[in-house]
Amino acid sequence: MSSTWYSLIGLASGVAFILALKGLSHPKTARRGNLIGAAGATVATLSVFLYVTPGKDGAEAHSLPIHNLGWILGAIALGLIVGVPAARKVEMTQMPQLVALFNGVGGGAAALVAIVEYLNLGDTATTAEVIFTVFTVVVGCVSFSGSIITFMKLQELMTTRPVVFPGGRFVIAGTLVAVLGVSVWVVVALGTTPLLVLALLSLLFGILFVLPVGGADVPIVISLLNAFTGLTVAASGYVLSSTLLIIAGTLVGASGTILTRLMAEAMGRSLFGTLFGAFTAKPQAATGAAEERPVRSGSPDDVAILLNYARRVVIVPGFGLAVAQAQHTVRELADLMISKGIDVAYGIHPVAGRMPGHMNVLLAEANVPYDQLAEMDEVNPTFGQTDVAIVIGANDVVNPAAQTTPGCPIYGMPILEVSNAGNIIFLKRSMRPGFAGIENELLYDPKTMLLFGDAKASLTKVVSALKAL
Amino acid sequence: MDAMAITSIFVLSVFVGFEVVSKVSSTLHTPLMSGANAIHGVILVGAIIVADHSENNLELGLSLAAIVLATINMVGGFVVTDRMLEMFKPKKDASAAAKKEDEAAKGGQK
């Protein structure tokens, strides 16, 4: 295959990626868009086996077969054996951390490619090539270690709260300065040792960079690291003279940046506040005193009675619904209420769950009619006319502290104003605070009733109690 | 490739990237992020190229590790995105029920 054909195939893959992103931006074309992207990636990968770009000094362009073919195919097979089952078997609730993990390994791959190419080019590397290599190693390593930390936070292998240690900001600033210093060292004095030091420092920086981010803001960070990885792929494309990698990497970098901003806006957060908020926030006062206060808990029968005499009910789902896999049960409850002539709507907070859009996906799985799903701006003005708001496994997205307590980690985030409803029912597993780790005053409100237990079990009991009425 | 051509490709790609996702509902933020995540898995292409160039065992070992990671990123990414989007499919039950009704109606006409 000639280099012209190879370039044309690369261009076609680039176009496929543009169409993929475009398709993914609209609900109707999203699935097709993803398949177009997969097709583009497959064609691009196959084309490398048919044509190999020139190697060192531009003189090594060789014909088929490519070197180390057996090893390469073996490595791809290993990747498939690991990647496909992981993606297939993962639970709905664990998808966010899997995406974080995939992003991390992508960043790691880009960093490794840059290191190998650096070793391979040796003294023949131009300054520009070295600079792009350094960029890829630094950002790729940051993306790798940062994504691993976000994975651990989401998987709850470590605390989901912001991790801040004394003088933390100076340690982070110091590490960043060290990374920049060693980068210059690598560019000036070419060598393997400085590059290795740089990689290790970058990994450290990635960890320090993500540790102070609070649990609720983790999706934004994943999106940002995703954009980072895109840029490293673009930089590798420069070093490897691959137009395809430049186009694909830049597309992801640019769209990822916009997406990060959109997500931050949906949560009412500034990007800066997300990343560095933990350093500026004042320590929270008076969280301990709340433990002993009385709450009103009820039985499934109490809940059923309340619902039976309501005219309008808004269901507010959260991560607890996803954990309990209660989406089908909640639909059953909604259908039952509708058959009793009760007006039912789902109030969907854009970032309820662990990722934006999590609840839409979950309820779509249970075939909840789309017109029953009301977005935040739509449903908030209606809480005044709502008799009962049922909050199922959600906490932070209805926490009035976001409006009333300046300095708390979620301050400024738009919330679902369930406190305006006539009655509030919380389905909770325990009194434990939400993912962001903040006490919710609403739980102690006199018009709040708590129903403890697994969301699915509780809902099933409420459904049978309501049927019996 | 000359620097100007590369710069042009880069700048134009930035604008296309901005443009294609500028209006997306929050429902699709997650699948879109996951799909973009899968796309940068094409670093697999770069990993294969460096594996081909490798001149010693260290280089080969590192590039094979890169191939494994990139494959996981790319293939896993597209599969998990597809699984997320599967949930958005038009309601199976509703359409199946509608079909049955249609058929029943047709049967009735006969």
Side-chain angles (χ1 to χ4, degrees):
Chain A
M1 192 165 65
S2 73
S3 75
T4 314
W5 277 108
Y6 177 70
S7 304
L8 281 175
I9 290 177
L11 185 61
S13 304
V15 172
F17 294 149
I18 295 173
L19 294 176
L21 290 173
K22 187 80 194 155
L24 280 165
S25 314
H26 299 281
K28 279 187 182 161
T29 53
R31 202 161 182 208
R32 195 174 60 205
N34 185 50
L35 292 178
I36 292 174
T42 311
V43 170
T45 309
L46 292 179
S47 73
V48 197
F49 288 102
L50 302 177
Y51 176 81
V52 175
T53 52
K56 202 165 166 182
D57 305 330
E60 264 185 33
H62 57 81
S63 55
L64 301 169
I66 63 175
H67 298 137
N68 308 317
L69 184 61
W71 285 107
I72 292 172
L73 292 177
I76 292 178
L78 183 58
L80 287 172
I81 290 170
V82 176
V84 174
R88 279 234 162 124
K89 284 186 188 145
V90 65
E91 299 280 328
M92 261 301 299
T93 47
Q94 291 176 333
M95 280 186 188
Q97 45 267 53
L98 192 68
V99 173
L101 205 57
F102 285 158
N103 178 54
V105 297
L112 285 173
V113 168
I115 291 172
V116 175
E117 192 61 9
Y118 180 83
L119 296 174
N120 195 276
L121 286 169
D123 297 338
T124 64
T126 65
T127 310
E129 281 170 340
V130 176
I131 290 174
F132 277 101
T133 305
V134 164
F135 174 83
T136 308
V137 171
V138 171
V139 181
C141 287
V142 168
S143 187
F144 178 73
S145 61
S147 297
I148 301 295
I149 298 292
T150 56
F151 169 78
M152 288 170 65
K153 285 194 181 218
L154 288 169
Q155 191 72 27
E156 299 192 2
L157 294 173
M158 60 177 287
T159 172
T160 59
R161 295 183 183 215
V163 176
V164 188
F165 44 92
R169 68 173 102 179
F170 300 109
V171 177
I172 292 182
T175 314
L176 183 60
V177 170
V179 166
L180 294 177
V182 178
S183 300
V184 175
W185 182 25
V186 176
V187 174
V188 176
L190 301 170
T192 316
T193 317
L195 195 70
L196 194 65
V197 174
L198 184 64
L200 292 175
L201 273 174
S202 306
L203 288 172
L204 177 66
F205 181 71
I207 296 171
L208 294 172
F209 172 72
V210 179
L211 275 180
V213 176
D217 290 333
V218 164
I220 299 179
V221 176
I222 299 178
S223 179
L224 185 70
L225 293 174
N226 187 34
F228 278 5
T229 309
L231 291 179
T232 64
V233 172
S236 314
Y238 175 81
V239 181
L240 297 170
S241 306
S242 165
T243 322
L244 168 67
L245 291 186
I246 298 177
I247 296 176
T250 313
L251 278 176
V252 175
S255 58
T257 309
I258 294 287
L259 188 58
T260 308
R261 226 192 62 203
L262 289 175
M263 280 190 186
E265 270 170 21
M267 299 175 79
R269 318 278 280 139
S270 75
L271 193 52
F272 186 84
T274 306
L275 298 178
F276 307 108
F279 293 118
T280 47
K282 295 175 197 85
Q284 279 170 260
T287 43
E291 303 295 327
E292 300 297 322
R293 289 156 60 193
V295 292
R296 188 162 68 106
S297 66
S299 71
D301 291 310
D302 299 329
V303 173
I305 289 166
L306 209 52
L307 292 177
N308 198 33
Y309 297 106
R311 271 159 301 147
R312 180 178 160 81
V313 174
V314 174
I315 300 171
V316 178
F319 187 64
L321 184 79
V323 173
Q325 288 290 306
Q327 64 271 31
H328 295 282
T329 323
V330 77
R331 190 193 163 198
E332 203 185 329
L333 178 66
D335 288 348
L336 183 60
M337 286 194 284
I338 291 168
S339 73
K340 285 177 176 278
I342 304 168
D343 184 14
V344 178
Y346 295 82
I348 308 291
H349 191 281
V351 296
R354 292 286 158 89
M355 296 192 102
H358 202 160
M359 290 303 121
N360 300 68
V361 176
L362 195 69
L363 293 172
E365 194 198 334
N367 294 320
V368 170
Y370 201 74
D371 56 353
Q372 287 177 14
L373 305 183
E375 290 192 16
M376 183 167 58
D377 299 338
E378 231 176 292
V379 78
N380 263 346
T382 69
F383 277 116
Q385 297 95 55
T386 300
D387 301 299
V388 184
I390 314 178
V391 182
I392 305 171
N395 196 343
D396 297 329
V397 296
V398 297
N399 192 337
Q403 294 176 332
T404 57
T405 317
C408 85
I410 58 166
Y411 184 68
M413 180 173 89
I415 57 161
L416 289 165
E417 291 155 359
V418 293
S419 54
N420 295 336
N423 290 281
I424 309 163
I425 298 167
F426 269 92
L427 267 61
K428 279 179 74 64
R429 275 172 297 176
S430 67
M431 283 301 284
R432 231 158 57 95
F435 199 45
I438 315 152
E439 191 72 41
N440 192 345
E441 282 299 314
L442 214 51
L443 298 176
Y444 307 101
D445 194 296
K447 61 184 180 186
T448 296
M449 184 193 285
L450 288 115
L451 180 55
F452 288 111
D454 172 77
K456 192 172 185 175
S458 300
L459 282 170
T460 312
K461 283 179 207 153
V462 173
V463 168
S464 48
L466 190 58
K467 269 184 189 157
L469 281 174
Chain B
M1 259 189 295
D2 68 296
M4 202 52 230
I6 288 176
T7 313
S8 308
I9 291 171
F10 176 74
V11 172
L12 291 176
S13 301
V14 168
F15 278 90
V16 173
F18 282 167
E19 210 47 46
V20 286
V21 299
S22 56
K23 279 186 184 170
V24 52
S25 83
S26 60
T27 314
L28 283 173
H29 282 173
T30 300
L32 182 60
M33 174 168 83
S34 182
N37 176 34
I39 288 176
H40 67 52
V42 287
I43 187 63
L44 176 59
V45 169
I48 295 173
I49 292 175
V50 294
D52 170 68
H53 290 181
S54 291
E55 286 167 346
N56 55 46
N57 286 340
L58 174 67
E59 290 178 14
L60 182 61
L62 291 176
S63 48
L64 290 177
I67 291 177
V68 175
L69 296 182
T71 309
I72 294 175
N73 180 194
M74 184 168 103
V75 182
F78 282 119
V79 172
V80 83
T81 311
D82 191 58
R83 277 198 52 200
M84 284 180 199
L85 293 169
E86 205 177 25
M87 317 282 186
F88 287 107
K89 257 189 321 200
K91 288 139 229 142
K92 255 183 289 169
D93 294 358
S95 58
K99 240 186 200 172
K100 264 185 194 167
E101 273 175 26
D102 279 356
E103 277 167 12
K106 271 180 200 164
Q109 277 168 358
K110 272 180 199 170

